């Protein structure tokens, strides 16, 4: 995918962020190097340095890119939720478990971010912000347990040959549990 910076700098930046996320998905955060990211995106190292001065900045912005995607998808789900109690948790279940299989790249890369000491702050800040925004509807301990179970399901999907039928059944059970308070 050769992208020309002169024509569209934002598409080059996006290609680099996606490239870094793909590398993180395949072999973890440590595999994300500036050279590998540029090569995988089909751009020169000069183009990469134009957008990201160093690896720390690239990884930080990749983390934000992934969390922004998650945030956008969750907000779209919330718009379709007419119930109050548990609406963030239901959206989280829908987005995470629906895309965990189809968008393994995003989740594998996000798990790499969560497990990296210097990048985990992005996930923590995002999650704490969501809990503040949805405190009125999603602060119940039962809902927190469900969200933690969702994370566990993602780990199982990412690391095991987990079949779709149990995922669908567990997802439906979790969704039912968000309605009964």
């Amino acid at each position: 995918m050769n992208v020309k910076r002169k024509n569209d700098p934002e598409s080059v930046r996006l290609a680099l962020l996606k490239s870094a996320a793909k590398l993180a998905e395949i072999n973890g955060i440590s595999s994300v190097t500036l050279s590998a990211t540029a090569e995988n995106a089909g751009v020169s190292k000069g183009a990469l340095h134009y957008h990201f001065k160093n690896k720390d900045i690239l990884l930080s912005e990749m983390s934000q890119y992934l969390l922004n995607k998650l945030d956008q998808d969750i907000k779209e789900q919330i718009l379709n939720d007419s119930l109050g109690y548990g609406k963030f948790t239901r959206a989280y279940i829908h987005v995470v478990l629906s895309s965990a299989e189809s968008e393994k790249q995003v989740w594998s890369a996000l798990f790499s971010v969560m497990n990296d000491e210097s990048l985990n702050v992005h996930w923590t800040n995002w999650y704490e912000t969501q809990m503040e925004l949805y405190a009125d509807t999603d602060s119940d301990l039962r809902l927190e347990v469900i969200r933690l179970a969702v994370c566990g399901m993602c780990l199982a999907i990412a690391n095991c040959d987990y079949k779709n039928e149990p995922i669908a059944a567990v997802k439906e059970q979790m969704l039912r549990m968000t309605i009964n308070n």
Side-chain angles (χ1 to χ4, degrees), residues 15-17 19-20 23 32-43 48 58:
L16 289 163
L17 292 171
S19 173
L23 291 168
V32 181
T33 65
L34 296 178
S35 296
T37 300
E39 183 179 327
N40 190 39
V43 303
L48 180 138
L58 172 64

Side-chain angles (χ1 to χ4, degrees), residues 4 24 30 39 61 73 75 98 155 178:
K4 295 184 181 172
S30 62
E39 183 179 327
E61 291 197 28
D73 292 348
K75 284 183 176 156
S98 295
L155 286 171
T178 67

Side-chain angles (χ1 to χ4, degrees), residues 25 66 69-70 103-111:
E25 170 212 358
L66 293 169
K69 181 174 178 16
L70 174 65
E103 294 184 33
K104 252 184 176 168
Q105 173 186 348
V106 173
W107 297 108
S108 295
L110 266 175
F111 282 125

Side-chain angles (χ1 to χ4, degrees), residues 3 12 21 85 102 109 119 122 131 142 151 162 172-173 180:
V3 185
V12 172
Y85 176 83
S102 64
L119 297 174
H122 296 292
M131 292 302 91
R142 173 190 184 115
C151 291
Y162 213 76
E172 288 308 312
Q173 179 61 35
N180 303 326

Side-chain angles (χ1 to χ4, degrees), residues 7-176:
N7 293 339
D8 188 1
E10 192 51 37
S11 67
V12 172
R13 183 179 178 286
L14 184 59
L16 289 163
L17 292 171
K18 288 180 178 181
S19 173
K22 183 68 174 172
L23 291 168
E25 170 212 358
I26 294 168
N27 291 313
I29 291 290
S30 62
S31 71
V32 181
T33 65
L34 296 178
S35 296
T37 300
E39 183 179 327
N40 190 39
V43 303
S44 69
K45 282 180 78 175
L48 180 138
H49 284 288
Y50 173 80
H51 293 282
F52 308 105
K53 301 297 181 214
N54 59 50
K55 181 179 174 178
D56 291 338
I57 293 170
L58 172 64
L59 291 175
S60 179
E61 291 197 28
M62 177 202 74
S63 301
Q64 278 308 131
Y65 163 76
L66 293 169
L67 289 169
N68 288 343
K69 181 174 178 16
L70 174 65
D71 195 57
Q72 179 183 4
D73 292 348
I74 286 175
K75 284 183 176 156
E76 287 175 18
Q77 278 291 322
I78 287 172
L79 288 174
N80 298 320
D81 192 324
S82 61
L83 303 174
Y85 176 83
K87 67 181 177 181
F88 171 79
T89 303
R90 275 188 299 285
Y92 188 74
I93 293 166
H94 277 293
V95 170
V96 173
L97 293 183
S98 295
S99 62
E101 190 64 27
S102 64
E103 294 184 33
K104 252 184 176 168
Q105 173 186 348
V106 173
W107 297 108
S108 295
L110 266 175
F111 282 125
S112 292
V113 166
M114 286 184 221
N115 290 320
D116 184 275
E117 246 180 84
S118 64
L119 297 174
N120 181 273
V121 68
H122 296 292
W123 169 262
T124 302
N125 289 341
W126 177 83
Y127 190 80
E128 287 174 354
T129 299
Q130 302 315 301
M131 292 302 91
E132 288 171 15
L133 286 172
Y134 299 102
D136 291 346
T137 59
D138 286 80
S139 61
D140 190 296
L141 181 60
R142 173 190 184 115
L143 297 173
E144 179 69 18
V145 169
I146 294 167
R147 289 189 299 273
L148 289 170
V150 169
C151 291
M153 285 291 296
C154 284
L155 286 171
I157 292 165
N159 295 312
C160 305
D161 187 20
Y162 213 76
K163 304 296 181 221
N164 282 336
E165 291 111 24
I167 294 170
V170 171
K171 177 182 171 184
E172 288 308 312
Q173 179 61 35
M174 288 178 179
L175 288 169
R176 281 192 296 276

